[in-house]
């Protein structure tokens, strides 16, 4: 039995397999209508969500299963101080698989270490959102016809955008991907994504502050919302929130065959008039997400049936447990008696990384 916390938990062959399964579900829904009969999905959403939570629930219901769970932390025992570890153990008594969204980075990983059922990360702070990436990959595959040899532009919040980070990590393993990273200096892609993913895999990339200059070169434009909830300084948010707005006039600069994606929710970064453009695929993207979550649920339940033992966390390299994570968004800052463990990331420069939130720290 295993859990999916990060998109890199899935190999390229597994990603391709999930895409094929999702496409088969689209073509043959009746074939899968009772595939999860008698199974229960628990949705544990400690943070607001519309698309992700409802698409997980719709996915399980369309597979013939049932759903239990909650949609806010205040309606769970977390409001009474229950730990993530204890919550995971309790939910394992009632469900066959769980999907968790939490504002603390690393919370689903803690759940996976304590649950006796598969755990799917449905978004943890600004860290990862692997099932959104699955939706993104299926959308690109279905609408563009390939997952290699293309130019993908990411625009807006590249610093806190977990969907951006996850999709870049997935695309890094396909050939011929060029990235155009469009953002203001304050919201540039984090250095660890740039150096440990983009440059590690030899991806060609350029950084730009101009959406207009970048549009003519793109096969895929991935717009993002400037996320108010990730800003400690609201003045900074107000200053940056309208920096990029995609309009009909700007769409005229894009290739005729290009597509526009957005993980949603949209605020005002895409004009509603763009919705009429056949290249606007963000609502299709939301629907594709349901099918990919169906495919993932099937895969993880099948694996759990064959091997019910929990897979241990991968701890490659040297382990250090004498440090305290300085990332205040890390689950280790609030989880009861949670070991703060670090892996060596760069031995030469004395850099390690928290196993829960992946924040860097000097030895």
């Amino acid at each position: 039995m295993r859990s999916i916390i990060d998109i890199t938990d899935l190999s390229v062959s597994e990603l391709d397999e999930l895409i094929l399964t999702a496409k088969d579900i689209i073509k043959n829904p009746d074939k899968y209508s009772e595939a999860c009969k008698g199974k229960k999905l628990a949705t544990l959403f400690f943070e607001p969500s519309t698309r992700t939570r409802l698409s997980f629930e719709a996915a399980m219901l369309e597979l013939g299963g049932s759903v239990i769970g909650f949609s806010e932390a205040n309606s769970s025992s977390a409001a009474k101080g229950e730990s993530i570890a204890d919550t995971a153990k309790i939910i394992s008594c009632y469900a066959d698989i769980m999907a968790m969204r939490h504002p603390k980075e690393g919370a689903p990983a803690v759940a996976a270490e304590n649950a006796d059922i598969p755990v799917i990360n449905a978004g943890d702070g600004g860290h990862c959102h692997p099932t959104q990436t699955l939706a993104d990959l299926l959308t690109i595959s279905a609408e563009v016809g390939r997952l290699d040899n293309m130019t993908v532009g990411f625009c807006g919040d590249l610093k806190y955008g977990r969907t951006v980070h996850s999709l870049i990590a997935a695309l890094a393993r396909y050939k011929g991907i060029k990235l155009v990273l469009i953002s203001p200096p304050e919201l540039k892609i984090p250095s660890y994504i740039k150096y440990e993913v983009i440059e590690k895999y030899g991806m060609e990339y350029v950084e730009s502050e101009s959406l207009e200059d970048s549009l003519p070169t793109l096969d895929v434009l991935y717009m993002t919302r400037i996320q108010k909830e990730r800003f400690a300084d609201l003045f900074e948010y107000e200053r940056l929130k309208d920096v990029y707005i995609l309009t009909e006039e700007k769409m005229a600069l894009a290739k005729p065959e290009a597509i526009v994606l957005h993980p949603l929710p949209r605020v005002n970064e895409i004009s509603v008039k763009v919705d009429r453009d056949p290249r606007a695929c963000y609502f299709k993207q939301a629907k594709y997400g349901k099918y990919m979550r169906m495919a993932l649920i099937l895969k993880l339940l099948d694996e759990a049936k064959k091997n019910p033992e929990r897979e241990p966390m991968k701890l490659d390299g040297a382990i250090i447990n004498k440090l305290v994570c300085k990332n205040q968004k890390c689950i280790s800052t609030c989880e009861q008696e949670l070991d703060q463990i670090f892996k060596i990331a760069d031995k030469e420069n004395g850099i390690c990384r928290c196993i829960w939130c992946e924040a860097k720290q000097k030895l």
Side-chain angles (χ1 to χ4, degrees):
M1 181 196 78
R2 67 166 168 165
S3 296
I4 299 299
I5 306 302
D6 186 280
I7 193 64
T8 57
D9 292 336
L10 294 161
S11 67
V12 172
S13 62
E14 287 178 314
L15 292 174
D16 293 340
E17 171 199 334
L18 287 168
I19 289 170
L20 287 174
T21 300
K23 288 180 177 179
D24 193 49
I25 292 170
I26 294 169
K27 290 180 181 177
N28 306 291
D30 292 344
K31 176 180 170 182
Y32 297 89
S33 62
E34 294 190 359
C36 287
K37 186 176 181 180
K39 299 293 184 181
K40 292 189 289 293
L41 165 72
T43 52
L44 281 59
F45 278 68
F46 296 83
E47 192 176 49
S49 170
T50 300
R51 277 148 303 281
T52 304
R53 181 174 64 84
L54 294 181
S55 67
F56 264 113
E57 294 179 0
M60 192 56 162
L61 293 171
E62 290 186 27
L63 290 169
S66 55
V67 180
I68 59 175
F70 52 83
S71 59
E72 58 179 348
N74 288 338
S75 61
S76 76
S77 289
K80 303 174 184 178
E82 183 173 68
S83 68
I84 292 297
D86 283 358
T87 297
K89 291 171 186 175
I90 290 296
I91 297 301
S92 298
C93 300
Y94 306 141
D96 301 286
I97 187 169
M98 75 172 83
M100 175 183 283
R101 169 167 288 187
H102 201 284
K104 288 290 186 179
E105 297 170 6
V110 172
E113 284 297 289
N114 290 276
D116 293 322
I117 59 176
V119 176
I120 302 173
N121 181 1
D124 59 334
H127 185 215
C128 294
H129 197 350
T131 63
Q132 177 63 53
T133 301
L134 293 177
D136 300 340
L137 292 174
L138 176 58
T139 308
I140 296 170
S141 176
E143 300 296 326
V144 179
R146 63 186 188 279
L147 286 171
D148 56 9
N149 300 307
M150 69 179 77
T151 301
V152 182
F154 292 91
C155 180
D157 180 4
L158 309 190
K159 180 178 181 180
Y160 300 110
R162 60 191 172 196
T163 59
V164 171
H165 304 166
S166 289
L167 183 53
I168 289 174
L171 290 174
R173 294 179 289 170
Y174 289 89
K175 294 181 180 179
I177 300 293
K178 178 181 177 181
L179 304 179
V180 181
L181 306 172
I182 310 157
S183 71
E186 297 89 345
L187 295 174
K188 289 175 66 174
I189 201 83
S191 59
Y192 80 91
I193 297 291
K194 187 187 298 183
Y195 301 125
E196 296 177 24
V197 179
I198 298 173
E199 294 185 357
K200 176 183 176 181
Y201 284 90
M203 300 178 82
E204 186 180 349
Y205 74 98
V206 295
E207 293 183 277
S208 173
E209 293 182 34
S210 173
L211 175 58
E212 291 88 338
D213 290 348
S214 303
L215 266 171
T217 69
L218 305 179
D219 298 299
V220 178
L221 170 61
Y222 198 97
M223 293 293 294
T224 65
R225 171 175 63 95
I226 307 299
Q227 303 174 85
K228 184 177 182 179
E229 64 270 28
R230 308 296 176 211
F231 281 78
D233 184 345
L234 289 182
F235 175 78
E236 190 74 354
Y237 164 74
E238 291 293 334
R239 187 174 67 83
L240 295 170
K241 68 176 183 178
D242 295 330
V243 67
Y244 298 112
I245 299 176
L246 184 63
T247 62
E248 287 181 299
E249 292 74 22
K250 291 175 185 175
M251 281 298 294
L253 301 170
K255 294 179 180 179
E257 68 278 11
I259 65 170
V260 179
L261 303 183
H262 191 305
L264 303 175
R266 162 178 64 183
V267 181
N268 65 339
E269 60 278 358
I270 300 179
S271 166
V272 294
K273 293 181 179 179
V274 174
D275 298 352
R276 298 179 298 216
D277 193 308
R279 295 170 292 180
C281 292
Y282 29 89
F283 292 114
K284 287 183 180 179
Q285 184 183 356
K287 192 168 186 177
Y288 282 132
K290 178 186 68 175
Y291 297 119
M292 281 301 267
R293 290 178 176 104
M294 290 172 76
L296 183 61
I297 288 168
L298 287 171
K299 178 178 177 62
L300 293 182
L301 286 176
D302 183 59
E303 290 185 5
K305 183 178 179 180
K306 294 174 182 176
N307 179 21
E309 296 299 315
R310 183 193 310 140
E311 280 193 3
M313 180 176 281
K314 297 174 183 177
L315 295 174
D316 303 325
I319 307 300
I320 301 160
N321 56 14
K322 296 179 181 178
L323 299 176
V324 174
C325 186
K326 295 177 181 177
N327 175 15
Q328 291 304 302
K329 295 179 181 178
C330 180
I331 188 62
S332 66
T333 63
C334 60
E335 186 75 357
Q336 300 167 15
E337 299 182 21
L338 182 65
D339 292 334
Q340 298 202 17
I341 304 173
F342 293 78
K343 293 197 295 184
I344 295 290
D346 183 346
K347 189 173 183 180
E348 185 177 339
N349 295 303
I351 303 294
C352 58
R353 193 179 284 289
C354 173
I355 64 163
W356 306 115
C357 71
E358 298 187 8
K360 275 184 175 182
Q361 199 158 308
K362 273 275 192 182
L363 291 175

